[in-house]
Amino acid sequence: MTIVRFDLGNTSGNDDEPGLARRDALRTLTAAATGAGAAWTRLGDTLLVTGAPAQLERTGAGRAPAERVEVPTARLHLVIQNGRQFQQAHPEVPVLVDRGRYLVVDLDPAEAGRIVEPVERHLPCFGVRPLPADTVVFEQRPLAPARTRAVAEPHVAAVSRDAFEADLRTLAALRTRHSTSTEFRTALDWARDVLSALGWATRIQTVALPGGDTQNLIAERPGTGGDGRAVLVTAHLDSINVREGTAGPAPGADDNGSGAAGVLAVARALQDHRGSRDLRLILFGGEEQGLFGSRHYVAELDPAELGRIHAVVNMDMIAGRNTPSPTVLLEGAAVSQAVLEELAAAAQAHTGLTVQTSLLPFNSDHVPFIDGGVPAVLTIEGADGANDRIHTAGDTLEHIDSGLALEILRMNVAYLVQALGQA
């Protein structure tokens, strides 16, 4: 078998006519590959097609320039999430496609299961799996022309840059927010005071960890009735330093001070909004050790409570600019499709974000909800795997792009106003 790679542009361009032409060409090539009986995998504007020479000829003949790659199909693997840490740990592994969060690599199948390195022996920084066939790993959505974007909804306009930046400074000023540290509890108590002052009812949930415990902070405001369902906004509060361990500094400005400060920004922007559905905010502990906080939270819900959850919007790393244009990845699963589409529509109507979407959920606090059958979507900076500062002492405020964070927050708030329903 031979692999052919079609590159039809970059994954961060705007929605101009050339961009539309690229998308049309990708659809044509994908359909041609299917018709020829070849296997295909798409990553944004890159299409990999695997098949016999005759199948590849029928796929690409006269349609687009192509690069042939002679790698056995069984050696093709997809690296998900922290691409840069994978490359740092395994510089000997050839990278065939680099899309930040996703890498396609040439790797012996016997080695693939042995190289996923754990964080504190619990959670890997990246996942490695055989390259999925006939799959869109991620898709890039058209960017709405500025002239068609909606007039700012009042609660969207209420998202405050000053408050977001002040909250993020408070969180990143702590030496660490490791899940079992006293500094983590300091951050949790501070966030609880902020939410209580905004009128939210709060409670603490204790979560067992190997070698100790941590906490989740849950804040809730009831709706006015409606269908009795709840909308959740979540982020993890903890940070980690994988190079130096618990003794090393872990400011975690982007991962995940940005998401935690984002939850507080949502609380402020929707302080005076009353929808028909409950609004619940959660800051999780133990994410970096293996999604312990979110797994515990979901496990503690009985089936009726789990079924009451209308949607979950999770924020994990929303302030690292890794692409030329401000980009957000919306990651969910089939159960999340409706929420994902509504978030994408909110981004187009209220922001200038380039939107990427994926139905391959991995390694953040939306996953336990999806596993429980709940529609949940991760909102994360585009090409987050290209950010090599996370999980180190270098994840500091000087690398934060507040403008990107504010755009992602505006998208989320616009969606939340709709999802909460009318009072």
Side-chain angles (χ1 to χ4, degrees):
M1 291 288 189
T2 300
I3 300 97
V4 171
R5 167 177 165 163
F6 299 94
D7 280 315
L8 283 88
N10 59 62
T11 60
S12 57
N14 290 332
D15 183 35
D16 48 16
E17 290 185 7
L20 291 170
R22 286 196 299 270
R23 280 185 287 280
D24 288 342
L26 280 167
R27 283 193 288 268
T28 299
L29 283 167
T30 302
T34 300
W40 57 269
T41 306
R42 182 146 62 88
L43 299 94
D45 287 337
T46 296
L47 182 70
L48 295 178
V49 181
T50 304
Q55 292 172 312
L56 299 177
E57 179 63 26
R58 285 160 56 197
T59 296
R63 292 188 176 92
E67 175 187 357
R68 290 182 178 267
V69 183
E70 298 297 333
V71 178
T73 305
R75 293 183 61 92
L76 292 172
H77 287 80
L78 181 69
V79 177
I80 300 180
Q81 197 180 42
N82 205 314
R84 292 300 174 266
Q85 289 193 359
F86 174 89
Q87 290 176 290
Q88 290 166 3
H90 304 284
E92 76 285 359
V93 176
V95 176
L96 307 179
V97 179
D98 183 345
R99 289 298 177 264
R101 182 173 180 82
Y102 309 99
L103 306 177
V104 178
V105 299
D106 173 5
L107 183 62
D108 185 277
E111 292 296 314
R114 295 199 288 263
I115 66 172
V116 176
E117 298 188 352
V119 175
E120 299 188 344
R121 301 182 182 178
H122 300 299
L123 183 68
C125 293
F126 43 77
V128 181
R129 60 185 66 171
L131 185 69
D134 303 333
T135 298
V136 177
V137 174
F138 78 91
E139 177 139 39
Q140 183 153 304
R141 302 296 182 94
L143 180 66
R147 65 181 179 276
T148 68
R149 292 180 197 142
V151 175
E153 197 276 341
H155 296 93
V156 174
V159 175
S160 168
R161 177 189 291 266
D162 289 345
F164 171 80
E165 291 178 343
D167 290 342
L168 185 51
R169 282 195 298 272
T170 297
L171 292 169
L174 296 168
R175 183 189 67 87
T176 183
R177 297 188 310 280
H178 187 279
S179 297
T180 60
S181 67
T182 57
E183 292 95 336
F184 174 84
R185 188 56 195 249
T186 296
L188 191 87
D189 290 342
W190 168 80
R192 185 179 196 179
D193 289 344
V194 170
L195 290 167
S196 296
L198 292 170
W200 295 78
T202 64
R203 62 186 177 93
I204 302 294
Q205 185 180 52
T206 299
V207 178
L209 289 179
D213 59 37
T214 190
Q215 296 80 33
N216 294 334
L217 171 60
I218 303 163
E220 190 151 12
R221 191 184 64 206
T224 59
D227 58 9
R229 308 192 77 193
V231 178
L232 276 60
V233 181
T234 66
H236 72 89
L237 183 62
D238 56 312
S239 64
I240 199 168
N241 185 325
V242 296
R243 297 176 184 173
E244 302 175 58
T246 56
D254 192 23
D255 188 13
N256 186 34
S258 64
V263 169
L264 299 180
V266 169
R268 289 190 171 94
L270 297 179
Q271 181 178 3
D272 299 323
H273 176 73
R274 289 295 182 271
S276 61
R277 291 178 174 140
D278 297 351
L279 178 56
R280 192 177 308 154
L281 312 178
I282 309 177
L283 294 175
F284 292 117
E287 192 269 358
E288 300 289 10
Q289 287 73 39
L291 312 183
F292 279 87
S294 52
R295 292 191 191 280
H296 178 86
Y297 178 81
V298 172
E300 289 290 297
L301 297 176
D302 62 36
E305 280 295 310
L306 201 60
R308 275 207 332 117
I309 301 175
H310 173 75
V312 179
V313 176
N314 182 46
M315 290 183 280
D316 193 348
M317 297 173 57
I318 63 170
R321 178 78 170 268
N322 312 306
T323 53
S325 63
T327 304
V328 64
L329 172 68
L330 307 178
E331 182 185 274
V335 70
S336 320
Q337 188 72 60
V339 177
L340 187 151
E341 295 296 339
E342 290 166 7
L343 280 162
Q348 288 196 323
H350 296 277
T351 79
L353 289 167
T354 294
V355 176
Q356 298 171 347
T357 61
S358 174
L359 298 181
L360 294 177
F362 183 76
N363 215 16
S364 190
D365 288 316
H366 60 314
V367 174
F369 291 97
I370 289 173
D371 290 344
V374 175
V377 174
L378 169 68
T379 62
I380 188 168
E381 65 200 38
D384 67 291
N387 183 343
D388 61 4
R389 296 177 296 275
I390 64 169
H391 299 165
T392 75
D395 186 6
T396 55
L397 290 171
E398 65 187 301
H399 303 293
I400 290 295
D401 186 325
S402 296
L404 173 63
L406 268 288
E407 286 281 80
I408 293 175
L409 285 166
R410 291 178 186 120
M411 172 191 69
N412 288 344
V413 169
Y415 164 76
L416 290 166
V417 169
Q418 173 185 337
L420 289 168
Q422 296 296 317

CSV table of all heavy atoms in Angstrom, one decimal, residues 36-77:
chain,number,residue,atom,x,y,z
A,36,ALA,N,-13.2,5.1,-5.0
A,36,ALA,CA,-12.1,4.2,-5.5
A,36,ALA,C,-11.8,3.1,-4.6
A,36,ALA,O,-11.0,2.2,-4.9
A,36,ALA,CB,-10.8,5.1,-5.7
A,37,GLY,N,-12.5,3.1,-3.4
A,37,GLY,CA,-12.2,2.0,-2.5
A,37,GLY,C,-11.0,2.2,-1.6
A,37,GLY,O,-10.5,1.3,-1.0
A,38,ALA,N,-10.4,3.4,-1.6
A,38,ALA,CA,-9.2,3.7,-0.8
A,38,ALA,C,-9.7,4.2,0.6
A,38,ALA,O,-10.8,4.7,0.7
A,38,ALA,CB,-8.4,4.8,-1.5
A,39,ALA,N,-8.8,4.1,1.5
A,39,ALA,CA,-9.0,4.6,2.9
A,39,ALA,C,-8.5,6.0,3.0
A,39,ALA,O,-7.5,6.4,2.3
A,39,ALA,CB,-8.3,3.7,3.9
A,40,TRP,N,-9.2,6.9,3.8
A,40,TRP,CA,-8.8,8.3,3.9
A,40,TRP,C,-8.9,8.7,5.3
A,40,TRP,O,-9.7,8.2,6.1
A,40,TRP,CB,-9.6,9.2,3.0
A,40,TRP,CG,-11.1,9.1,3.2
A,40,TRP,CD1,-12.0,8.2,2.6
A,40,TRP,CD2,-11.8,9.8,4.2
A,40,TRP,NE1,-13.2,8.4,3.1
A,40,TRP,CE2,-13.2,9.4,4.1
A,40,TRP,CE3,-11.5,10.8,5.1
A,40,TRP,CZ2,-14.2,9.9,4.9
A,40,TRP,CZ3,-12.5,11.4,5.9
A,40,TRP,CH2,-13.8,10.9,5.8
A,41,THR,N,-8.1,9.7,5.6
A,41,THR,CA,-8.1,10.4,6.9
A,41,THR,C,-7.9,11.9,6.7
A,41,THR,O,-7.0,12.3,6.0
A,41,THR,CB,-7.1,9.9,7.9
A,41,THR,OG1,-7.2,8.5,8.0
A,41,THR,CG2,-7.2,10.5,9.3
A,42,ARG,N,-8.8,12.7,7.3
A,42,ARG,CA,-8.7,14.2,7.0
A,42,ARG,C,-8.3,14.9,8.3
A,42,ARG,O,-8.9,14.7,9.3
A,42,ARG,CB,-10.0,14.7,6.4
A,42,ARG,CG,-9.9,16.2,6.1
A,42,ARG,CD,-10.7,16.5,4.8
A,42,ARG,NE,-12.1,16.2,5.0
A,42,ARG,CZ,-13.0,17.1,5.5
A,42,ARG,NH1,-12.6,18.3,6.0
A,42,ARG,NH2,-14.3,16.8,5.6
A,43,LEU,N,-7.3,15.8,8.2
A,43,LEU,CA,-7.0,16.7,9.3
A,43,LEU,C,-7.0,18.1,8.8
A,43,LEU,O,-6.0,18.5,8.1
A,43,LEU,CB,-5.6,16.4,9.9
A,43,LEU,CG,-5.4,15.0,10.4
A,43,LEU,CD1,-4.8,14.0,9.4
A,43,LEU,CD2,-4.4,15.0,11.6
A,44,GLY,N,-8.1,18.8,9.0
A,44,GLY,CA,-8.2,20.2,8.5
A,44,GLY,C,-8.1,20.2,7.0
A,44,GLY,O,-8.9,19.5,6.3
A,45,ASP,N,-7.1,20.9,6.4
A,45,ASP,CA,-6.9,21.0,5.0
A,45,ASP,C,-6.0,19.9,4.4
A,45,ASP,O,-5.5,20.0,3.3
A,45,ASP,CB,-6.4,22.4,4.6
A,45,ASP,CG,-7.5,23.4,4.8
A,45,ASP,OD1,-8.7,23.0,4.7
A,45,ASP,OD2,-7.2,24.6,4.9
A,46,THR,N,-5.6,18.9,5.2
A,46,THR,CA,-4.7,17.8,4.8
A,46,THR,C,-5.5,16.5,4.7
A,46,THR,O,-6.2,16.2,5.7
A,46,THR,CB,-3.6,17.7,5.7
A,46,THR,OG1,-2.8,18.9,5.7
A,46,THR,CG2,-2.7,16.5,5.3
A,47,LEU,N,-5.4,15.9,3.6
A,47,LEU,CA,-6.1,14.6,3.4
A,47,LEU,C,-5.0,13.5,3.1
A,47,LEU,O,-4.2,13.7,2.2
A,47,LEU,CB,-7.0,14.7,2.2
A,47,LEU,CG,-7.9,13.4,1.9
A,47,LEU,CD1,-8.9,13.2,3.0
A,47,LEU,CD2,-8.5,13.5,0.5
A,48,LEU,N,-5.0,12.4,3.9
A,48,LEU,CA,-4.2,11.3,3.7
A,48,LEU,C,-5.0,10.2,3.1
A,48,LEU,O,-6.1,9.8,3.6
A,48,LEU,CB,-3.6,10.8,5.0
A,48,LEU,CG,-2.6,11.7,5.7
A,48,LEU,CD1,-2.1,11.1,7.0
A,48,LEU,CD2,-1.4,12.1,4.8
A,49,VAL,N,-4.6,9.6,2.0
A,49,VAL,CA,-5.3,8.5,1.3
A,49,VAL,C,-4.4,7.3,1.1
A,49,VAL,O,-3.2,7.5,0.7
A,49,VAL,CB,-5.8,9.0,-0.1
A,49,VAL,CG1,-6.6,7.9,-0.8
A,49,VAL,CG2,-6.7,10.2,0.0
A,50,THR,N,-4.9,6.2,1.5
A,50,THR,CA,-4.1,4.9,1.5
A,50,THR,C,-4.8,3.9,0.6
A,50,THR,O,-6.0,3.7,0.6
A,50,THR,CB,-4.0,4.3,2.9
A,50,THR,OG1,-3.4,5.3,3.8
A,50,THR,CG2,-3.1,3.1,2.9
A,51,GLY,N,-4.0,3.3,-0.3
A,51,GLY,CA,-4.6,2.3,-1.2
A,51,GLY,C,-3.6,1.8,-2.2
A,51,GLY,O,-2.4,2.1,-2.2
A,52,ALA,N,-4.1,1.0,-3.1
A,52,ALA,CA,-3.2,0.5,-4.2
A,52,ALA,C,-3.0,1.6,-5.2
A,52,ALA,O,-3.8,2.5,-5.3
A,52,ALA,CB,-3.9,-0.7,-4.8
A,53,PRO,N,-1.9,1.5,-6.0
A,53,PRO,CA,-1.6,2.5,-7.0
A,53,PRO,C,-2.8,2.9,-7.8
A,53,PRO,O,-3.1,4.1,-8.1
A,53,PRO,CB,-0.5,1.9,-7.8
A,53,PRO,CG,0.2,1.0,-6.8
A,53,PRO,CD,-0.9,0.4,-6.0
A,54,ALA,N,-3.6,1.9,-8.3
A,54,ALA,CA,-4.7,2.3,-9.2
A,54,ALA,C,-5.8,3.1,-8.4
A,54,ALA,O,-6.4,4.0,-9.0
A,54,ALA,CB,-5.3,1.0,-9.7
A,55,GLN,N,-6.0,2.7,-7.1
A,55,GLN,CA,-7.0,3.4,-6.3
A,55,GLN,C,-6.5,4.9,-6.1
A,55,GLN,O,-7.4,5.8,-6.2
A,55,GLN,CB,-7.2,2.7,-5.0
A,55,GLN,CG,-7.9,1.4,-5.1
A,55,GLN,CD,-7.8,0.7,-3.7
A,55,GLN,OE1,-6.8,0.6,-3.1
A,55,GLN,NE2,-9.0,0.2,-3.3
A,56,LEU,N,-5.3,5.1,-5.9
A,56,LEU,CA,-4.7,6.4,-5.6
A,56,LEU,C,-4.8,7.3,-6.9
A,56,LEU,O,-5.1,8.5,-6.8
A,56,LEU,CB,-3.3,6.3,-5.1
A,56,LEU,CG,-3.2,5.6,-3.7
A,56,LEU,CD1,-1.7,5.5,-3.3
A,56,LEU,CD2,-4.0,6.3,-2.6
A,57,GLU,N,-4.5,6.6,-8.0
A,57,GLU,CA,-4.6,7.3,-9.3
A,57,GLU,C,-6.0,7.8,-9.5
A,57,GLU,O,-6.3,8.9,-9.9
A,57,GLU,CB,-4.1,6.4,-10.4
A,57,GLU,CG,-4.2,7.1,-11.8
A,57,GLU,CD,-3.3,8.3,-11.9
A,57,GLU,OE1,-2.3,8.4,-11.2
A,57,GLU,OE2,-3.6,9.2,-12.8
A,58,ARG,N,-7.0,6.9,-9.3
A,58,ARG,CA,-8.4,7.3,-9.5
A,58,ARG,C,-8.9,8.4,-8.5
A,58,ARG,O,-9.7,9.2,-8.8
A,58,ARG,CB,-9.3,6.1,-9.3
A,58,ARG,CG,-9.2,5.2,-10.5
A,58,ARG,CD,-9.7,3.8,-10.2
A,58,ARG,NE,-11.1,3.8,-9.6
A,58,ARG,CZ,-11.6,2.8,-8.9
A,58,ARG,NH1,-10.9,1.7,-8.7
A,58,ARG,NH2,-12.8,2.8,-8.5
A,59,THR,N,-8.2,8.5,-7.3
A,59,THR,CA,-8.6,9.5,-6.3
A,59,THR,C,-8.1,10.8,-6.7
A,59,THR,O,-8.8,11.8,-6.7
A,59,THR,CB,-8.0,9.1,-5.0
A,59,THR,OG1,-8.5,7.9,-4.5
A,59,THR,CG2,-8.2,10.2,-3.9
A,60,GLY,N,-6.8,10.9,-7.1
A,60,GLY,CA,-6.2,12.3,-7.3
A,60,GLY,C,-5.9,12.7,-8.7
A,60,GLY,O,-5.5,13.9,-8.8
A,61,ALA,N,-6.2,11.9,-9.7
A,61,ALA,CA,-5.8,12.3,-11.0
A,61,ALA,C,-6.4,13.6,-11.4
A,61,ALA,O,-7.6,13.8,-11.5
A,61,ALA,CB,-6.2,11.2,-12.0
A,62,GLY,N,-5.5,14.6,-11.7
A,62,GLY,CA,-6.0,15.9,-12.2
A,62,GLY,C,-6.7,16.7,-11.2
A,62,GLY,O,-7.1,17.8,-11.5
A,63,ARG,N,-6.8,16.3,-9.9
A,63,ARG,CA,-7.6,17.1,-9.0
A,63,ARG,C,-6.7,18.0,-8.1
A,63,ARG,O,-7.1,19.1,-7.7
A,63,ARG,CB,-8.4,16.2,-8.1
A,63,ARG,CG,-9.5,15.4,-8.8
A,63,ARG,CD,-10.4,14.7,-7.8
A,63,ARG,NE,-11.5,14.0,-8.6
A,63,ARG,CZ,-11.5,12.8,-9.0
A,63,ARG,NH1,-10.4,12.0,-8.8
A,63,ARG,NH2,-12.5,12.3,-9.7
A,64,ALA,N,-5.5,17.5,-7.6
A,64,ALA,CA,-4.7,18.3,-6.7
A,64,ALA,C,-3.3,17.8,-6.7
A,64,ALA,O,-3.1,16.6,-6.9
A,64,ALA,CB,-5.3,18.3,-5.3
A,65,PRO,N,-2.3,18.6,-6.4
A,65,PRO,CA,-0.9,18.1,-6.2
A,65,PRO,C,-0.9,17.2,-5.0
A,65,PRO,O,-1.6,17.3,-4.1
A,65,PRO,CB,-0.1,19.4,-6.0
A,65,PRO,CG,-1.0,20.5,-6.4
A,65,PRO,CD,-2.4,20.1,-6.3
A,66,ALA,N,-0.1,16.2,-5.1
A,66,ALA,CA,0.0,15.1,-4.1
A,66,ALA,C,1.4,14.8,-3.8
A,66,ALA,O,2.3,14.9,-4.7
A,66,ALA,CB,-0.8,13.9,-4.5
A,67,GLU,N,1.7,14.3,-2.6
A,67,GLU,CA,3.0,13.8,-2.1
A,67,GLU,C,2.8,12.4,-1.7
A,67,GLU,O,2.0,12.0,-0.9
A,67,GLU,CB,3.5,14.7,-1.0
A,67,GLU,CG,4.8,14.2,-0.4
A,67,GLU,CD,5.2,14.9,0.9
A,67,GLU,OE1,4.5,15.8,1.3
A,67,GLU,OE2,6.2,14.5,1.5
A,68,ARG,N,3.6,11.5,-2.3
A,68,ARG,CA,3.6,10.1,-2.0
A,68,ARG,C,4.5,9.8,-0.8
A,68,ARG,O,5.6,10.3,-0.7
A,68,ARG,CB,4.0,9.2,-3.2
A,68,ARG,CG,3.0,9.3,-4.3
A,68,ARG,CD,3.4,8.3,-5.4
A,68,ARG,NE,2.3,8.4,-6.5
A,68,ARG,CZ,1.3,7.5,-6.5
A,68,ARG,NH1,1.3,6.5,-5.6
A,68,ARG,NH2,0.4,7.6,-7.5
A,69,VAL,N,4.0,9.0,0.1
A,69,VAL,CA,4.8,8.7,1.3
A,69,VAL,C,4.8,7.2,1.4
A,69,VAL,O,3.7,6.5,1.5
A,69,VAL,CB,4.1,9.3,2.6
A,69,VAL,CG1,5.0,8.9,3.8
A,69,VAL,CG2,3.9,10.8,2.5
A,70,GLU,N,6.0,6.6,1.4
A,70,GLU,CA,6.1,5.1,1.4
A,70,GLU,C,6.3,4.7,2.9
A,70,GLU,O,7.4,4.5,3.4
A,70,GLU,CB,7.3,4.7,0.5
A,70,GLU,CG,7.2,5.0,-0.9
A,70,GLU,CD,6.0,4.4,-1.6
A,70,GLU,OE1,5.6,3.3,-1.1
A,70,GLU,OE2,5.5,4.9,-2.6
A,71,VAL,N,5.1,4.5,3.5
A,71,VAL,CA,5.1,4.0,4.9
A,71,VAL,C,4.0,2.9,5.0
A,71,VAL,O,2.9,3.1,4.5
A,71,VAL,CB,4.8,5.1,5.9
A,71,VAL,CG1,4.7,4.6,7.3
A,71,VAL,CG2,5.8,6.2,5.8
A,72,PRO,N,4.3,1.7,5.5
A,72,PRO,CA,3.3,0.7,5.7
A,72,PRO,C,2.1,1.2,6.5
A,72,PRO,O,2.3,1.9,7.5
A,72,PRO,CB,4.0,-0.4,6.4
A,72,PRO,CG,5.5,-0.2,6.1
A,72,PRO,CD,5.7,1.2,6.0
A,73,THR,N,0.9,0.9,6.1
A,73,THR,CA,-0.3,1.4,6.8
A,73,THR,C,-0.2,1.1,8.2
A,73,THR,O,-0.7,1.9,9.1
A,73,THR,CB,-1.5,0.8,6.1
A,73,THR,OG1,-1.5,1.0,4.7
A,73,THR,CG2,-2.8,1.4,6.7
A,74,ALA,N,0.2,-0.1,8.6
A,74,ALA,CA,0.2,-0.5,10.0
A,74,ALA,C,1.1,0.4,10.9
A,74,ALA,O,1.0,0.5,12.1
A,74,ALA,CB,0.7,-1.9,10.2
A,75,ARG,N,2.1,1.2,10.3
A,75,ARG,CA,2.9,2.1,11.0
A,75,ARG,C,2.4,3.5,11.2
A,75,ARG,O,2.9,4.3,12.0
A,75,ARG,CB,4.3,2.2,10.3
A,75,ARG,CG,5.1,0.9,10.4
A,75,ARG,CD,6.5,1.1,9.7
A,75,ARG,NE,7.2,2.1,10.4
A,75,ARG,CZ,8.1,1.8,11.4
A,75,ARG,NH1,8.3,0.5,11.8
A,75,ARG,NH2,8.8,2.7,12.0
A,76,LEU,N,1.3,3.8,10.6
A,76,LEU,CA,0.7,5.1,10.7
A,76,LEU,C,-0.1,5.2,12.0
A,76,LEU,O,-1.0,4.4,12.3
A,76,LEU,CB,-0.3,5.4,9.5
A,76,LEU,CG,0.4,5.5,8.1
A,76,LEU,CD1,-0.7,5.6,7.1
A,76,LEU,CD2,1.3,6.7,8.1
A,77,HIS,N,0.3,6.2,12.8
A,77,HIS,CA,-0.4,6.4,14.1
A,77,HIS,C,-0.8,7.9,14.3
A,77,HIS,O,-0.1,8.8,13.7
A,77,HIS,CB,0.5,6.0,15.3
A,77,HIS,CG,0.6,4.5,15.4
A,77,HIS,ND1,1.5,3.7,14.6
A,77,HIS,CD2,0.0,3.6,16.2
A,77,HIS,CE1,1.3,2.5,14.9
A,77,HIS,NE2,0.5,2.4,15.9
